[in-house]
Amino acid sequence: MSIRATRTPGLPVEDSDAHTWTGKARRWLLGKLPPDKLLPEDQPSYVMSWAYVFGMGAIASLLWIIISGVVLGLSGPQWYHVSSLGSFVNSTHLWSVELFFIFMVVHLWLKFWMAAWRGGRVLTWITGMLSFVVSIVAAFTGYLLQTNFDSQWIAFEAKDALNAVGVGAWFNVANLGQIFVWHITLLPLAVGAVVILHVLLVRVHGVAPPLEAAEGDAQLLREGAEPANASESTTLPGSAALPESAERGDVAR
């Protein structure tokens, strides 16, 4: 019978010594997302372009949506219909949603024309699209929670459409309590989970490079393939020459 060697508590365990599911999970996570990739200090120089700003703008808007939504949910409709402060918070919640969708749509279009699914980033692209779809449903339930004549009109118009496709029994837009739970609990959790997964995938694979800098992206190089001369520009067949900044390895700090 073999006896495992004991170790001093608090000391790190080598990856080869991991024999439990927690140790194996740690080894897998660190292999996929080491700390320097999770919280990098440097980014490629092309990240300084405006094309890479809108994704962060969408995340910033989402954070304020969550903060203002928590305040509105705790205070209730009576507060944001009567109180001037409540009306202000309600308005900022609405406009943060508007900004969120503006930033997200621009971000998605830019990434589409950049072919951002290149280099093993297909799942990153899919999670981005999925977050957009789930956000539309979340925004729809938000309109139903206005508790005014506008929300009543939207609810009863949508009720007929949902009944026509056979989901009205499970998603009753005329039931304010059910919609309240969907809007402040289930859908925000879904949006948050997909967005977090999307950001983690971006960290794993790195930001998608512009098409003209594609050959400088390590994710697009074949495994084990290295340029013949690192000091010279590497050009793949049918692609543009690598920009001078990428050749020098410039980074944005």
Side-chain angles (χ1 to χ4, degrees), residues 215 227 232-242 247:
E215 63 271 22
E232 297 179 359
S233 173
T234 304
T235 305
L236 297 180
S239 61
L242 188 64
E247 293 178 10

Side-chain angles (χ1 to χ4, degrees), residues 144-166:
L144 298 175
L145 288 180
Q146 296 178 93
T147 58
N148 54 20
F149 289 113
D150 186 30
S151 63
Q152 291 181 25
W153 174 265
I154 295 172
F156 282 92
E157 289 296 314
K159 173 180 66 66
D160 296 334
L162 294 173
N163 287 337
V165 297

Side-chain angles (χ1 to χ4, degrees), residues 62-104:
L62 179 61
L63 290 176
W64 182 250
I65 290 172
I66 295 173
I67 294 172
S68 59
V70 169
V71 175
L72 293 173
L74 292 175
S75 302
Q78 293 81 3
W79 177 67
Y80 60 76
H81 278 315
V82 177
S83 168
S84 58
L85 177 60
S87 179
F88 172 76
V89 175
N90 190 29
S91 298
T92 60
H93 185 73
L94 168 66
W95 283 107
S96 59
V97 172
E98 302 286 349
L99 289 174
F100 174 74
F101 277 99
I102 290 173
F103 288 140
M104 180 176 284

Side-chain angles (χ1 to χ4, degrees), residues 188-246:
L189 287 175
V191 173
V194 176
V195 169
I196 290 174
L197 177 59
H198 180 75
V199 173
L200 290 177
L201 287 171
V202 171
R203 292 302 191 193
V204 170
H205 298 291
V207 293
L211 292 173
E212 62 270 17
E215 63 271 22
D217 180 19
Q219 298 292 331
L220 298 180
L221 295 176
R222 292 183 178 179
E223 185 176 357
E226 294 292 340
N229 190 342
S231 62
E232 297 179 359
S233 173
T234 304
T235 305
L236 297 180
S239 61
L242 188 64
E244 182 181 354
S245 60

Side-chain angles (χ1 to χ4, degrees), residues 62 65-66 70 100 127 130-131 134-135 137-139 141 179-198:
L62 179 61
I65 290 172
I66 295 173
V70 169
F100 174 74
T127 53
L130 184 61
S131 64
V134 178
S135 298
V137 182
T141 57
I179 297 302
F180 194 76
V181 173
W182 274 99
H183 185 72
I184 71 170
T185 305
L186 302 178
L187 291 172
L189 287 175
V191 173
V194 176
V195 169
I196 290 174
L197 177 59
H198 180 75

